[in-house]
Amino acid sequence: MTLTPTQIQERLSTLLNWEMNDEGEIQKTFSFQSFQDGLHFLNEAAGEVDRRGYSPALSISGEKVRVQINSQGEEGWTENHFGLAHAIERLYPDISDF
C-alpha cells in the first residue's frame, strides 16, 4: 500500500536522524571510529538489503557510511521502505561499543 505524504513524514519521524533529501530519497550518514568498523557495517547493511530485495545507494568514505533509500521502481513509498531503514538502523552499534 502506498503511503500518503503525511504517513511518509510520520514514518520518517520514527527514524533517528534520517531525512528526505532533494532527490526524494530517505538518507542517513552513520559515523564510525575506523574505516574497518564502517566497512563491517556496510557489509551487514548490504546483506539486509539483499534479503529484502532492494537496491539503495550504500557508500563509504573514510569512517562514514551513507545509506540512501529511494522508491524508484515502485508506485511510491511503502511500509517496506521504512522497514528496511529500521532494519539498517538496528545494525548500527551502540556508540558505547567503541
Side-chain angles (χ1 to χ4, degrees), residues 31-40 60 62-64 98:
S31 296
F32 296 88
Q33 293 293 320
S34 70
F35 177 80
Q36 283 298 85
D37 290 338
L39 187 58
H40 176 74
I60 188 167
E63 294 82 27
K64 297 192 182 298
F98 293 115

Side-chain angles (χ1 to χ4, degrees), residues 50-80:
D50 188 49
R51 280 188 290 284
R52 292 170 182 260
Y54 283 92
S55 57
L58 302 172
S59 61
I60 188 167
S61 179
E63 294 82 27
K64 297 192 182 298
V65 173
R66 178 177 287 190
V67 177
Q68 295 168 284
I69 301 171
N70 65 52
S71 63
Q72 293 178 356
E74 304 211 16
E75 295 184 23
W77 290 98
T78 67
E79 294 289 348
N80 293 336

Side-chain angles (χ1 to χ4, degrees), residues 3-67:
L3 300 174
T4 67
T6 299
Q7 290 171 319
I8 292 167
Q9 288 304 313
E10 288 171 356
R11 301 316 183 273
L12 193 56
S13 71
T14 67
L15 295 163
L16 183 61
N17 298 321
W18 288 72
E19 62 185 6
M20 184 76 70
N21 67 21
D22 293 338
E23 289 79 36
E25 302 166 318
I26 58 172
Q27 71 177 23
K28 180 174 180 173
T29 300
F30 296 85
S31 296
F32 296 88
Q33 293 293 320
S34 70
F35 177 80
Q36 283 298 85
D37 290 338
L39 187 58
H40 176 74
F41 173 79
L42 182 80
N43 287 327
E44 292 291 317
E48 188 65 40
V49 165
D50 188 49
R51 280 188 290 284
R52 292 170 182 260
Y54 283 92
S55 57
L58 302 172
S59 61
I60 188 167
S61 179
E63 294 82 27
K64 297 192 182 298
V65 173
R66 178 177 287 190
V67 177

